Amino acid sequence: MADNIVSVHNFDDLFADLITQCSGLDSNKVLISYSEKGQVSSSINDNVCYIHTEHVSDYVDQYKNRKEVFNVQSGKTVISQSSMRVLELRITFYGPQSDVLGVKVKEKLYLDSSKQFLYKNNLSLIPEKDTIMKTHELINDRWWDRVDVTLFFYNSVTIEEIVDVVVNPVINIVNDMEV
């Protein structure tokens, strides 16, 4: 096993795929919030979604689990250290169906197919932290429907180190003190 640390930026693409499946929106309507190329315009009547993932500080970051495994053939010990980090996923829906889409995505994350997807990607939903808020946003002198969904996930991280083991130590005891 090698280090298992995924860049937070990679989760945007991963979550975009999951939200596309859960919402039923076309993939060109599920967009990364801070895309390098900017964003395409949409109409007030288009249902669109913007997502952004961030690593947030949490007390669970401080807990580490370590495991040592000795490999007899190589004569080395592999030390693995695992911990959890917390990721915040911000999903912003615009459009006439924004409230329905927000609830639909939030609820579908609790289904077995979504849980399996998350598990395969070392993620676990933190249900007690999720929020959903409906609001409106003034864009070009028009009020757009907007729903913000915020979800939190545990993401397991593992690093490893391979160390040599002392095989045949030579121990010499020297008595410097003579009575």
Side-chain angles (χ1 to χ4, degrees), residues 6-177:
V6 176
S7 170
V8 175
H9 297 294
N10 292 348
F11 284 107
D12 284 341
D13 292 331
L14 183 88
F15 284 127
D17 292 342
L18 180 60
I19 291 167
T20 299
Q21 291 172 3
C22 290
S23 69
L25 289 172
D26 291 335
S27 60
N28 63 343
K29 298 293 183 184
V30 179
L31 308 166
I32 308 300
S33 290
Y34 303 103
S35 172
E36 184 180 321
K37 298 176 183 175
Q39 295 298 346
V40 296
S41 334
S42 59
S43 162
I44 195 169
N45 294 317
D46 288 342
N47 290 306
V48 295
C49 169
Y50 296 92
I51 64 168
H52 179 65
T53 311
E54 287 189 7
H55 175 218
V56 293
S57 294
D58 195 278
Y59 71 93
V60 298
D61 289 346
Q62 67 185 329
Y63 297 107
K64 315 288 185 219
N65 294 311
R66 290 193 180 101
K67 177 173 75 171
E68 295 181 14
V69 176
F70 177 69
N71 185 325
V72 177
Q73 295 166 335
S74 69
K76 297 184 184 280
T77 298
V78 178
I79 301 172
S80 298
Q81 178 175 289
S82 300
S83 63
M84 290 288 179
R85 64 179 171 179
V86 175
L87 301 177
E88 177 183 358
L89 173 62
R90 282 186 254 137
I91 312 167
T92 304
F93 290 97
Y94 289 97
Q97 293 294 311
S98 58
D99 58 337
V100 171
L101 291 168
V103 171
K104 186 177 183 179
V105 166
K106 183 176 163 297
E107 294 302 320
K108 280 196 169 188
L109 288 177
Y110 291 93
L111 297 177
D112 286 340
S113 59
S114 296
K115 287 181 180 181
Q116 289 174 11
F117 179 88
L118 294 171
Y119 180 75
K120 287 178 188 173
N121 290 287
N122 297 315
L123 293 164
S124 176
L125 186 62
I126 307 172
E128 63 271 12
K129 287 187 163 192
D130 59 15
T131 62
I132 186 166
M133 183 178 77
K134 181 172 178 23
T135 187
H136 294 85
E137 185 174 335
L138 185 61
I139 301 173
N140 297 328
D141 294 327
R142 295 180 76 187
W143 288 103
W144 291 45
D145 289 327
R146 174 179 171 165
V147 168
D148 294 306
V149 179
T150 305
L151 302 167
F152 293 86
F153 299 86
Y154 288 125
N155 171 232
S156 61
V157 174
T158 306
I159 60 171
E160 74 176 20
E161 179 178 46
I162 299 174
V163 295
D164 290 326
V165 176
V166 178
V167 178
N168 293 319
V170 177
I171 301 173
N172 292 322
I173 300 174
V174 178
N175 186 356
D176 287 343
M177 301 182 74

